[in-house]
């Protein structure tokens, strides 16, 4: 009997991921540490929850959906059973703590993410995304270098219209693979591999330039609103980030040509194949025309927010979604989209905002920021040097994360707290936006971004080839950010 029990115990332990075990142990160690000066008990427990989250995210020992539920439960009980910050003789209570854990689900940024996912489904449902991609390909011709340029153009256009990096890549990849097959090019050729790497890397590049292009950008906006009390507009983000993205688009093109040079100068029959596929789609349908009209209207409204009207991006996007789903008028129904929406993404996003907000509420973020500032001597640094240090830290630590959203949830509240603590000449709002740009640096490892994983799943390139291009892009992209921080962003007043 004892032998059977031992075997069952050993089997149970083997099923528990090592990352989860490490996360639990690390959280317990932090909870059991002596109380730290200036750090409330609730704050110390919040740091334990943060460490738990970082370890399970880096090790991928829990799915993001399960980790989100676990984090909310930990906030409810660990913080709920801690003494109140205002009156240590009274515990916070699980009800109040659960309210902290659910704060992110009332954020306008969460609403924008959810609506963005719906709009991405609408693009796929109507086939408008495929039509845009094929039209762009047909205009550039069938030379390998032009095909690469066409892929870049498709990525940029869809970054404006499809507010989901994964959805954009999921649309572009099948079209590009179909083009490669139609061109008669081998799947493992440098042209096919370079094309897929270019799609993934260009997607990350334009996640920086357009606020609505990626979830981590919207999470950054959410933290700005919750912690700083104000935010930047869609146009502010575009004016600041687009120049970097434009320059990096050129860099991506030449890096791909250097690392993965196409084997041939021409592709026989390529243009005819793309035109045939486009002809098979027929003329624009009513749904496509209506969706395109709504998206163009949203672009105009987003770009004029705070200038021609007082409406925020989340509210106007919600109106657009309501119109797209209106019976008899819109292009889709709830039944069309409910099974296609990655609801786990919405759950993770809400939990991420809650995690960051709870760090602020329990004073854990401020305490950690003060510790970092004093130990690194950041109070004596210029704003440029502060940006240099914090952005380098984010680039390096991103290597351990498979999601920029998770990285933003864990690190951005601390970054904002550091900036607020330093004060002085630092524009906290502007610097927070610039650090938000750095969150999209998922260039090196295939696991660093969902779009990378979609592209490597085509089996057209190896991890080594991706890393080779990624190192170039990371070094050049980081140097370019520092250059813009010294010049352009400084002139705009953001740094």
């Amino acid at each position: 009997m004892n032998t059977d029990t031992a075997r069952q115990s050993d089997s149970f332990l083997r099923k528990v991921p090592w990352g989860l075990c490490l996360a639990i142990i690390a959280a317990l160690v932090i909870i059991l540490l002596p109380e730290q000066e200036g750090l409330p008990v609730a704050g110390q427990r919040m740091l334990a929850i943060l460490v738990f989250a970082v370890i399970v995210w880096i090790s991928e020992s829990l799915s993001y959906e399960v980790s989100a539920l676990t984090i909310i439960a930990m906030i409810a009980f660990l913080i709920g059973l801690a003494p109140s910050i205002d009156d240590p003789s009274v515990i916070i209570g699980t009800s109040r703590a659960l309210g902290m854990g659910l704060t992110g689900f009332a954020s306008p940024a969460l609403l924008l993410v959810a609506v963005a996912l719906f709009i991405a489904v609408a693009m796929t449902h109507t086939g408008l995304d495929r039509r845009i991609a094929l039209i762009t390909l047909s205009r550039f011709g069938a030379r390998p270098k032009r095909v690469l340029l066409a892929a870049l153009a498709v990525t940029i256009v869809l970054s404006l219209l499809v507010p989901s990096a994964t959805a954009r890549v999921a649309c572009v990849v099948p079209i590009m693979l179909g083009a490669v097959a139609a061109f008669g090019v081998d799947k493992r050729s440098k042209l096919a591999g370079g094309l897929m790497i270019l799609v993934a890397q260009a997607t990350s590049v334009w996640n920086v330039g357009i606020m609505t292009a990626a979830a981590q950008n919207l999470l950054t906006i959410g933290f700005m609103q919750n912690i700083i009390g104000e935010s930047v507009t869609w146009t502010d983000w575009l004016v600041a980030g687009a120049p970097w993205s434009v320059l990096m688009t050129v860099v991506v093109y030449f890096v791909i040509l250097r690392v993965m040079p196409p084997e041939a100068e021409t592709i026989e029959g390529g243009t005819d194949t793309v035109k045939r596929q486009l002809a098979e789609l027929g003329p624009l349908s009513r749904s496509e025309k209506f969706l395109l009209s709504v998206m163009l209207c949203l672009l105009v409204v987003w770009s004029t927010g705070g200038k021609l009207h007082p409406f925020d991006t989340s509210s106007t996007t919600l109106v657009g979604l309501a119109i797209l789903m209106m019976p008899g008028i819109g292009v889709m129904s709830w039944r069309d989209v409910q099974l296609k929406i990655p609801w786990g993404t919405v759950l993770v996003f809400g939990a991420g905002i809650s995690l960051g907000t709870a760090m602020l509420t329990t004073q854990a973020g401020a305490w950690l920021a003060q510790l970092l500032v004093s130990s690194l001597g950041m109070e004596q640094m210029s704003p440029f040097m502060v940006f240099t240090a914090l952005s380098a830290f984010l680039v390096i630590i991103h290597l351990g994360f498979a999601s920029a959203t998770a990285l933003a949830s864990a690190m951005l509240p601390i970054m904002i707290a550091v900036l607020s603590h330093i004060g002085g000449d630092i524009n906290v709002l502007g610097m927070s936006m610039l650090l938000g740009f750095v969150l999209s640096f998922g260039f090196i490892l295939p696991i660093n971004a969902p779009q990378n994983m979609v592209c490597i799943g085509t089996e057209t390139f190896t991890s080594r080839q991706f890393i080779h291009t990624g190192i170039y892009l990371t070094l050049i992209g980081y140097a370019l950010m520092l250059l813009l921080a010294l010049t352009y962003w400084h002139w705009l007043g953001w740094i």
Side-chain angles (χ1 to χ4, degrees), residues 52-139:
F52 173 89
V54 170
I55 293 175
V56 297
W57 284 336
I58 290 178
S59 65
E60 296 187 89
S61 53
L62 290 180
S63 69
Y64 286 108
E65 295 82 1
V66 174
S67 68
L69 293 173
T70 305
I71 289 167
I72 294 172
M74 291 176 73
I75 291 175
F77 283 92
L78 290 180
I79 305 303
L81 298 177
S84 172
I85 296 173
D86 299 327
D87 184 4
S89 64
V90 179
I91 65 170
I92 293 175
T94 54
S95 178
R96 184 180 169 192
L98 181 59
M100 291 185 197
L102 298 176
T103 302
F105 294 91
S107 169
L110 176 71
L111 174 64
L112 187 54
V113 167
V115 173
L117 294 174
F118 274 86
I119 291 176
V121 170
M123 294 288 288
T124 305
H125 182 69
T126 61
L128 181 60
D129 51 0
R130 175 176 170 80
R131 184 182 296 276
I132 291 172
L134 288 172
I135 289 174
T136 307
L137 274 172
S138 67
R139 296 291 186 272

Side-chain angles (χ1 to χ4, degrees), residues 264-288:
E265 289 295 323
T266 59
I267 304 173
E268 296 298 331
T271 302
D272 293 337
T273 301
V274 172
K275 288 183 177 179
R276 186 178 68 252
Q277 292 180 16
L278 185 59
E280 290 172 356
L281 293 179
L284 274 170
S285 65
R286 188 205 73 84
S287 295
E288 289 177 285

Side-chain angles (χ1 to χ4, degrees), residues 21 25 63 86 114 167 183 221 281 291 341 361 480 482:
C21 295
I25 293 171
S63 69
D86 299 327
F183 296 161
I221 296 297
L281 293 179
L291 174 58
I341 295 294
T361 305
L480 185 57
L482 296 186

Side-chain angles (χ1 to χ4, degrees), residues 450-473:
Q451 60 265 25
N452 301 351
M453 296 303 295
V454 171
C455 289
I456 199 172
T458 63
E459 299 181 344
T460 55
F461 61 89
T462 65
S463 294
R464 185 174 181 179
Q465 290 171 324
F466 190 89
I467 292 170
H468 194 178
T469 63
I471 290 174
Y472 278 115
L473 295 177

Side-chain angles (χ1 to χ4, degrees), residues 161-472:
L161 298 176
V162 183
S164 167
T166 308
R168 292 197 302 275
V169 172
C171 157
V172 174
V173 163
I175 296 172
M176 295 302 170
L177 282 178
V180 166
F183 296 161
V185 177
D186 186 81
K187 186 178 179 182
R188 299 295 297 195
S189 67
K190 287 187 177 181
L191 173 60
L195 189 59
M196 289 300 104
I197 293 176
L198 178 138
V199 169
Q201 303 289 30
T203 298
S204 294
V205 164
W206 279 94
N207 282 350
V208 173
I210 300 172
M211 188 183 83
T212 48
Q216 61 267 22
N217 299 348
L218 306 181
L219 193 57
T220 300
I221 296 297
F223 282 134
M224 285 179 178
Q225 293 169 337
N226 289 357
I227 300 175
I228 305 173
E230 57 180 327
S231 184
V232 296
T233 66
W234 189 89
T235 307
D236 289 335
W237 189 291
L238 182 72
V239 170
W244 183 90
S245 293
V246 170
L247 293 172
M248 281 301 296
T249 300
V250 178
V251 173
V252 169
Y253 177 72
F254 284 105
V255 166
I256 295 298
L257 287 181
R258 176 183 174 83
V259 178
M260 306 281 287
E263 293 86 348
E265 289 295 323
T266 59
I267 304 173
E268 296 298 331
T271 302
D272 293 337
T273 301
V274 172
K275 288 183 177 179
R276 186 178 68 252
Q277 292 180 16
L278 185 59
E280 290 172 356
L281 293 179
L284 274 170
S285 65
R286 188 205 73 84
S287 295
E288 289 177 285
K289 291 178 182 178
F290 189 75
L291 174 58
L292 184 59
S293 300
V294 171
M295 290 306 305
L296 292 176
C297 287
L298 284 176
L299 279 176
V300 172
V301 174
W302 290 342
S303 60
T304 55
K307 296 176 178 62
L308 299 182
H309 61 82
F311 310 120
D312 64 278
T313 304
S314 298
S315 300
T316 53
T317 309
L318 182 61
V319 172
L321 176 62
I323 293 172
L324 291 175
M325 299 186 71
M326 197 70 65
I329 300 175
V331 300
M332 59 184 181
S333 66
W334 178 263
R335 182 171 294 179
D336 292 329
V337 298
Q338 61 178 334
L339 297 178
K340 298 178 183 178
I341 295 294
W343 295 107
T345 300
V346 180
L347 180 63
V348 172
F349 199 88
I353 296 179
S354 297
L355 180 67
T357 305
M359 287 282 292
L360 175 70
T361 305
T362 60
Q363 300 179 13
W367 181 85
L368 191 57
Q370 184 177 2
L371 180 65
L372 290 173
V373 170
S374 58
S375 60
L376 299 177
M378 297 182 73
E379 288 177 327
Q380 283 71 47
M381 291 183 182
S382 65
F384 171 75
M385 289 307 299
V386 170
F387 175 72
T388 300
L390 294 182
S391 58
F393 171 77
L394 288 176
V395 170
I396 293 170
I397 200 170
H398 196 161
L399 293 173
F401 281 83
S403 164
T405 305
L407 176 64
S409 301
M411 296 299 157
L412 201 56
I414 299 173
M415 300 289 107
I416 295 177
V418 167
L419 297 174
S420 300
H421 184 80
I422 296 173
D425 296 331
I426 289 180
N427 181 333
V428 178
L429 182 68
M431 191 85 79
S432 299
M433 176 179 66
L434 301 184
L435 291 174
F437 293 169
V438 186
L439 294 173
S440 293
F441 267 57
F443 299 120
I444 296 181
L445 299 177
I447 63 167
N448 286 156
Q451 60 265 25
N452 301 351
M453 296 303 295
V454 171
C455 289
I456 199 172
T458 63
E459 299 181 344
T460 55
F461 61 89
T462 65
S463 294
R464 185 174 181 179
Q465 290 171 324
F466 190 89
I467 292 170
H468 194 178
T469 63
I471 290 174
Y472 278 115

